[in-house]
Amino acid sequence: MGAESYTGRINRKLSKKLRIVEVAAGREKADLVLKNTTYVNVFSSELCHGDIAVAEGLIVGMGEYSGRLEFDMAGKIVLPGMSSVFISVYNLLSVVTSLRVHSLSFYS
């Protein structure tokens, strides 16, 4: 099989990015949707609820989505981006501690 042309490579990448935008906007079904998740917002240290949409191997949105493959994640906590082998236990513990402090202040 011959090498892909420059134009072919650009068109393939553009097509992939356009699909990601369509899925993120909810106009096209995602490849995978984790339904009813509780996920950690690592920027605000909050637990959020909703669906997580994945297309082309990327998380493209959080909210309400439909997908070709759907899993009900009710009762589970999802940590997007926390699967890297390079994450240290200290960083993970600081996020969990922050969530614990936040949740305790929530009940006060």
Side-chain angles (χ1 to χ4, degrees):
M1 188 179 233
E4 183 178 26
S5 71
Y6 177 75
T7 304
R9 189 171 68 239
I10 294 299
N11 284 335
R12 182 177 45 81
K13 288 182 178 183
L14 177 60
S15 175
K16 184 177 177 178
K17 289 178 182 176
L18 289 173
R19 179 162 186 280
I20 288 170
V21 169
E22 291 297 308
V23 172
R27 294 186 289 261
E28 193 174 316
K29 282 190 172 190
D31 299 330
L32 168 70
V33 176
L34 303 177
K35 303 292 281 181
N36 308 312
T37 63
T38 299
Y39 58 90
V40 178
N41 181 332
V42 295
F43 298 108
S44 64
S45 297
E46 295 177 306
L47 292 176
C48 302
H49 304 280
D51 302 340
I52 298 176
V54 177
E56 303 293 333
L58 299 171
I59 295 174
V60 297
M62 296 174 175
E64 284 189 36
Y65 289 93
S66 61
R68 294 183 180 112
L69 184 61
E70 296 181 348
F71 291 101
D72 185 14
M73 301 299 288
K76 310 254 187 307
I77 296 178
V78 179
L79 300 169
M82 299 294 253
S83 62
S84 172
V85 296
F86 297 108
I87 187 159
S88 70
V89 173
Y90 175 78
N91 288 341
L92 183 58
L93 288 176
S94 67
V95 169
V96 170
T97 302
S98 177
L99 287 170
R100 189 178 310 132
V101 169
H102 179 72
S103 64
L104 288 176
S105 64
F106 186 71
Y107 293 109
S108 300

